[in-house]
Amino acid sequence: APTLSAEAAILVEPVTGQVLFEKNADRPMKAASTVKILTALVALEHLDPAQEVTVDPAWTGIEGSSMYLRAGETVTVKDLLYGLLLVSGNDAATALACAAAGSVAAFTELMNRKASALGMADSRFADPCGLVSEGHRVTARDMATLTRAALENALIAEIVATKSATAADRSLVNHNKLLWRYEGEPEATPSNNPFTDVKAGAYYEKAVLWAAETGVTAGTSATTFSPDNTCTRAQVVTFLYRDMNS
């Protein structure tokens, strides 16, 4: 089994919700910037991606990571989402919250309502950034539930699968190290939706070896699995898990 330095972790097959691995998955933990997954999901329930937002001076200069918004500039909700999910911008989170609900406090209420609706019974959120330490608590299991829900949104799935992008005339680079460090990332479809087909590519040899054991195949059988066939990203999660344990 892999050695994890994380105090709590969980690996879930995204379509079925099957837990493949867990470690202290129900232990209350600090949320930090993982709250921004919920921020993005709630923002898109109240804002159109093409909507333009004029940046209030109060939303700029927020401590911590930032997309460096400037007071008075006009940016789209979509660009703010890129700033939120690629560079973890606290200013982007604040802008989205205030544009969606009028204030950070009102938006935080919407966040907790959404978390409750998703069944995240052991988690509580105190702001859209993760900066506030008091009042925040999450579990790995609840965050997996949230992430599965968030990835059903095509725009969120597209953004988090993007290594780098230009948004609001800014060059943004994704802070998710997994996108950069894991060799053999499959060629994704244009939407990068985790539930759509992707080329098997570098996963071919591993998949052939594991197909009989896991029952995961592309085509009609393991013998038809080839680099040119397709599999779902949900199946790729299984391949990754097997790779971690090999």
Side-chain angles (χ1 to χ4, degrees):
T3 300
L4 295 180
S5 59
E7 186 176 338
I10 193 168
L11 178 64
V12 176
E13 203 281 346
V15 175
T16 65
Q18 178 186 2
V19 176
L20 304 175
F21 172 85
E22 64 178 278
K23 174 185 175 182
N24 299 326
D26 297 308
R27 177 179 294 179
M29 304 293 295
K30 294 181 180 179
S33 285
T34 58
V35 306
K36 289 167 183 165
I37 302 170
L38 184 57
T39 300
L41 186 59
V42 173
L44 281 172
E45 291 184 346
H46 296 270
L47 299 169
D48 186 288
Q51 180 177 334
E52 293 186 336
V53 175
T54 300
V55 177
D56 188 281
W59 307 343
T60 64
I62 307 294
E63 67 175 293
S65 53
S66 177
M67 69 176 293
Y68 300 103
L69 293 173
R70 297 183 298 272
E73 72 172 317
T74 300
V75 294
T76 65
V77 167
K78 184 176 181 179
D79 284 346
L80 289 172
L81 287 167
Y82 270 92
L84 176 78
L85 296 174
L86 260 64
V87 298
S88 194
N90 293 326
D91 51 355
T94 302
L96 287 166
C98 293
S103 70
V104 167
F107 187 82
T108 302
E109 289 185 15
L110 295 177
M111 292 174 69
N112 283 303
R113 290 178 194 170
K114 182 62 176 179
S116 178
L118 290 172
M120 300 170 62
D122 296 317
S123 296
R124 183 76 182 172
F125 299 88
D127 73 8
C129 303
L131 284 174
V132 178
S133 58
E134 293 297 325
H136 271 306
R137 69 174 186 277
V138 298
T139 66
R141 193 179 311 279
D142 280 351
M143 294 307 291
T145 297
L146 169 61
T147 302
R148 288 180 65 210
L151 289 176
E152 291 179 359
N153 183 289
L155 179 55
I156 292 177
E158 175 186 323
I159 293 173
V160 298
T162 300
K163 286 186 175 181
S164 60
T166 299
D169 297 321
R170 294 161 172 80
S171 295
L172 306 177
V173 178
N174 199 323
H175 287 184
N176 185 353
K177 295 179 182 179
L178 181 63
L179 290 179
W180 299 91
R181 292 185 176 179
Y182 193 87
E183 296 180 3
E185 180 186 1
E187 176 187 351
T189 57
S191 70
N192 282 312
N193 190 295
F195 307 126
T196 57
D197 288 343
V198 296
K199 293 293 183 182
Y203 293 93
Y204 168 61
E205 293 183 3
K206 293 185 179 75
V208 169
L209 292 174
W210 299 329
E213 178 186 353
T214 65
V216 173
T217 61
T220 57
S221 70
T223 58
T224 66
F225 197 105
S226 73
D228 293 327
N229 281 342
T230 58
C231 57
T232 67
R233 277 184 170 243
Q235 291 167 337
V236 168
V237 170
T238 302
F239 302 158
L240 282 168
Y241 175 66
R242 299 288 174 176
D243 190 30
M244 288 168 62
N245 285 276
S246 62

